[in-house]
Amino acid sequence: MAVHPARANDRAHDTWHLVWASLTRADVTGLVVYVVLSLAAALAGGIAAVALVPLIQPDHVWPIAARISGMEGGMAMRVAVFAVAMGSFAWLRWQAARCGARQISAYGMRLRRQVHARLIDASLGSLADATSAEIAHVLTHNVEVIVQGLSALQQLLLAGLTCAVSLGLALWVSPPLAFAAPLLAGVGLLASRLFGREQSEVARQYVADMTRLFWHSEDFPRRLRHVRSFGREDAEKAGYADVSARLGHGYRRQLELVASGRLVLELLAALGISGIFLFAQRWRGVDQASVIAVCLLLGRLLPYLVSTRQSFQQLRSAGPALELRERYMRMPPALASTSATPTGERRDALHVERMNVVPPMPGILVEHLPLIPGEMTLISGDSGIGKSSLVDALAGMAAPQGFKARAGGHDIDFDDYRQRVRNSAYVSQSVRPWQRTVRECLHWADPHASDEVLHGVLKDVGLDLRLSTSRQGLDTDLHSSSSRLSGGELQRLLLAQVILRQPYIALLDEATSALDTASELRVLAALKARLPHTVLIVVSHRLGVAALAEQQLDIGGGQSAALTRRTSREQEPSGRRTMHS
């Protein structure tokens, strides 16, 4: 399929614009320093190449020789000039590579932190159409593509500067040989084997850290509710930043190893060729010197020419990746954060007089819903009918279209309601722990809990016997094939977090779906016993849960909600109100 030249040019222009727009002032400064160092390295390399000519043909008068200090001296002086120029080139190129590595590392770390922080702060509505796979891609590989684009830009600048300077100075030199390419292949093979073991270790660690980023990214919309309800946004940002820093260090180290390998080769070349020149001069081995001269001239250009096409491809790939990132960076923020309510304070009952939740259409209208600490409310209804949307509103994470409530005999608006329920715990069906061990998972909810407390909450949710069979105990690895917990056990672990949290309101959106009926009732009964000052809201399809609930809110097929209030745990309702949508 033919591509119109104008459209191709527009896409190329957009890519350059997006890459340039993603750079901060510090990035631009670093790029300028990189260009200056690369230009100086190219000039030093060109001077080294020109300095070869008097060594190869000592009796020939070159016009440029008079402009280079030492070229009109003896052979020892000429060799010294070449050695200094070649050493300067190697050192400047090494410094340029290190500068570029630092810039790439900082650039990638900043992009990861920015997009992750924006997602943590994004509204749930803006994430409704985003898939977990796309979000995981945005947080991981997409940033890699962008970073590779900036690295490709650096390589293109380096290739352009080196070729321009080398070809310009090469006009003064007439290469005596044209068949030095096989030697270049040998040098390339040697370069590929230098620092190979450390590069492999760094690459493996890089993959491991990237996998940890995936665990931080999986099923992000549901997990975000969990993070916010526990008030752990800052801890999540700090943990993600720590992994990002390790990734940045790994990426920088990979680039530095490449640069170090090149430094070793070029220094060895400088010393070796200098020695060969002296040896050839004594034994009049002019032909050998000519071969070395051609290798240096062509060897500096060919690697850049070979990599230019790949660099352009990487730079073009960065355009769509930046567009995807910008789409997520433009997501509207969530409702303004409120300060967490201290445990034990303002735990009075709430009475939702009226709440209209949309979506789904035409909406769910709930009236006269009491939320009393120590009591359980069961929300039931068919799948896809809007139970999760209702729970989002009850959690204070999504604003309803209409809201009226009372607390302590006074009317409150939704902002006041959100502040009262800020000390919360939200656990949904498909959230899986992303921490490494059981201990880390529980300490995420309560960093100061002792081992005795941790064992206590594990016993409450029925995980104590399972962990007693593991030699690692609280340090059992959650992702190891030999100790991996089942889906039901992972749900028990998340419910243990809720007990540690001791929230004002706990919202369990099918958080016991992986348990059998009897286990579900036992765990929910334990939660009620351990959370006497918590409003417990449970979404479940199992009617048996109603035996534990003081009230049941059933969302019917016509988007009407019916509330059944009980005076005891028996199944006989004491009253029934029907709420129309």
Side-chain angles (χ1 to χ4, degrees):
M1 181 177 178
V3 179
H4 195 278
R7 295 179 181 176
N9 291 334
D10 289 341
R11 285 197 295 269
H13 179 269
D14 291 341
T15 297
W16 284 98
H17 175 74
L18 287 170
V19 172
W20 182 258
S22 69
L23 301 178
T24 63
R25 181 175 298 179
D27 293 329
V28 174
T29 301
L31 198 60
V32 170
V33 173
Y34 178 82
V35 168
V36 171
L37 288 172
S38 298
L39 180 60
L43 287 172
I47 292 174
V50 171
L52 287 172
V53 177
L55 298 176
I56 298 170
Q57 299 177 336
D59 297 331
H60 186 79
V61 179
W62 292 88
I64 198 173
R67 302 180 185 179
I68 302 178
S69 178
M71 284 292 97
E72 294 182 336
M75 180 55 64
M77 180 61 70
R78 295 176 183 180
V79 171
V81 170
F82 166 77
V84 170
M86 194 65 185
S88 298
F89 159 74
W91 186 82
L92 287 169
R93 183 69 190 93
W94 179 57
Q95 289 294 335
R98 294 186 63 195
C99 174
R102 287 192 295 269
Q103 183 185 16
I104 292 295
S105 173
Y107 180 73
M109 183 169 57
R110 177 173 58 81
L111 292 186
R112 291 189 186 93
R113 287 177 172 176
Q114 285 178 343
V115 71
H116 181 263
R118 180 53 60 93
L119 282 167
I120 285 287
D121 296 332
S123 66
L124 296 179
S126 64
L127 294 171
D129 296 328
T131 65
S132 294
E134 184 180 68
I135 292 175
H137 174 70
V138 168
L139 291 173
T140 53
H141 182 66
N142 192 68
V143 176
E144 286 301 295
V145 174
I146 299 173
V147 169
Q148 289 173 6
L150 182 61
S151 179
L153 178 60
Q154 289 182 344
Q155 296 304 312
L156 289 172
L157 290 172
L158 175 62
L161 291 170
T162 302
C163 289
V165 171
S166 297
L167 292 176
L169 293 177
L171 294 176
W172 296 95
V173 179
S174 178
L177 297 175
F179 300 100
L183 294 177
L184 298 180
V187 173
L189 179 62
L190 178 60
S192 66
R193 295 183 177 274
L194 287 176
F195 303 102
R197 179 174 299 178
E198 185 177 357
Q199 284 179 332
S200 298
E201 294 175 355
V202 171
R204 283 194 294 269
Q205 183 60 44
Y206 193 83
V207 172
D209 289 333
M210 187 63 70
T211 303
R212 292 200 65 185
L213 279 192
F214 175 80
W215 284 110
H216 274 270
S217 312
E218 189 184 38
D219 199 16
F220 195 91
R222 288 183 181 272
R223 181 181 155 197
L224 181 56
R225 297 172 173 87
H226 192 70
V227 171
R228 286 181 180 168
S229 68
F230 278 77
R232 298 291 289 170
E233 294 95 333
D234 291 338
E236 275 300 286
K237 293 177 183 178
Y240 193 90
D242 180 65
V243 181
S244 297
R246 289 200 301 273
L247 278 172
H249 172 75
Y251 196 87
R252 181 186 67 192
R253 188 56 186 154
Q254 290 182 57
L255 296 179
E256 287 179 344
L257 286 172
V258 173
S260 297
R262 185 168 50 238
L263 172 66
V264 171
L265 285 178
E266 290 169 343
L267 288 177
L268 288 176
L271 295 175
I273 293 175
S274 299
I276 291 175
F277 279 140
L278 293 175
F279 182 83
Q281 174 63 25
R282 175 171 296 184
W283 294 94
R284 301 190 180 276
V286 177
D287 292 337
Q288 295 180 8
S290 299
V291 172
I292 296 174
V294 172
C295 287
L296 285 175
L297 289 171
L298 298 182
R300 283 176 42 76
L301 300 182
L302 289 181
Y304 298 115
L305 296 178
V306 171
S307 63
T308 297
R309 181 178 179 181
Q310 181 182 2
S311 296
F312 274 115
Q313 290 175 343
Q314 291 177 334
L315 188 60
R316 284 194 294 266
S317 298
L322 280 165
E323 291 177 354
L324 180 60
R325 174 183 179 273
E326 287 303 310
R327 178 159 63 84
Y328 277 84
M329 290 297 294
R330 289 193 296 266
M331 282 185 170
L335 300 172
S337 298
T338 58
S339 58
T341 305
T343 302
E345 297 183 8
R346 301 187 67 175
R347 293 197 174 231
D348 48 338
L350 296 172
H351 296 270
V352 178
E353 302 292 340
R354 183 183 180 88
M355 176 186 287
N356 187 23
V357 178
V358 178
M361 297 299 292
I364 302 172
L365 180 61
V366 176
E367 294 179 322
H368 310 299
L369 175 65
L371 300 176
I372 302 174
E375 292 190 357
M376 177 191 295
T377 300
L378 172 64
I379 298 178
S380 58
D382 295 336
S383 298
I385 206 168
K387 300 187 298 297
S388 295
S389 297
L390 176 59
V391 173
D392 284 346
L394 291 173
M397 296 186 186
Q401 281 198 344
F403 182 83
K404 181 180 180 181
R406 293 180 63 81
H410 302 285
D411 292 338
I412 60 173
D413 58 15
F414 190 66
D415 287 338
D416 192 10
Y417 173 85
R418 289 181 58 239
Q419 184 174 358
R420 290 172 179 270
V421 301
R422 182 67 176 87
N423 180 25
S424 62
Y426 192 132
V427 183
S428 60
Q429 177 181 7
S430 58
V431 170
R432 295 190 298 172
W434 54 93
Q435 295 81 11
R436 187 175 61 87
T437 66
V438 171
R439 187 191 303 275
E440 288 182 9
C441 181
L442 296 179
H443 274 164
W444 183 88
D446 185 358
H448 306 294
S450 65
D451 285 1
E452 182 180 0
V453 172
L454 299 185
H455 283 294
V457 296
L458 291 174
K459 183 176 181 179
D460 291 329
V461 298
L463 265 184
D464 54 327
L465 294 179
R466 168 67 173 82
L467 293 182
S468 66
T469 62
S470 172
R471 290 182 299 177
Q472 289 77 27
L474 291 174
D475 296 315
T476 297
D477 196 323
L478 295 178
H479 309 300
S480 171
S481 59
S482 61
S483 60
R484 184 179 296 126
L485 301 184
S486 67
E489 290 170 336
L490 291 176
Q491 286 190 335
R492 292 175 188 265
L493 186 59
L494 292 176
L495 294 177
Q497 286 185 336
V498 176
I499 297 176
L500 288 172
R501 171 72 165 160
Q502 290 291 309
Y504 170 74
I505 184 171
L507 307 106
L508 312 181
D509 188 359
E510 300 188 51
T512 53
S513 59
L515 301 176
D516 59 78
T517 302
S519 297
E520 179 182 37
L521 294 178
R522 284 196 297 269
V523 171
L524 290 178
L527 255 67
K528 283 195 67 177
R530 290 296 308 272
L531 301 173
H533 305 293
T534 296
V535 176
L536 190 57
I537 296 177
V538 177
V539 177
S540 178
H541 291 285
R542 294 171 179 168
L543 297 180
V545 178
L548 296 173
E550 280 73 21
Q551 60 186 6
Q552 180 175 349
L553 186 65
D554 183 66
I555 304 175
Q559 302 301 307
S560 61
L563 178 67
T564 302
R565 179 76 185 172
R566 298 177 178 82
T567 57
S568 65
R569 294 184 182 179
E570 298 178 356
Q571 293 293 329
E572 299 175 0
S574 62
R576 186 176 181 87
R577 300 184 182 93
T578 301
M579 288 142 269
H580 304 282
S581 61

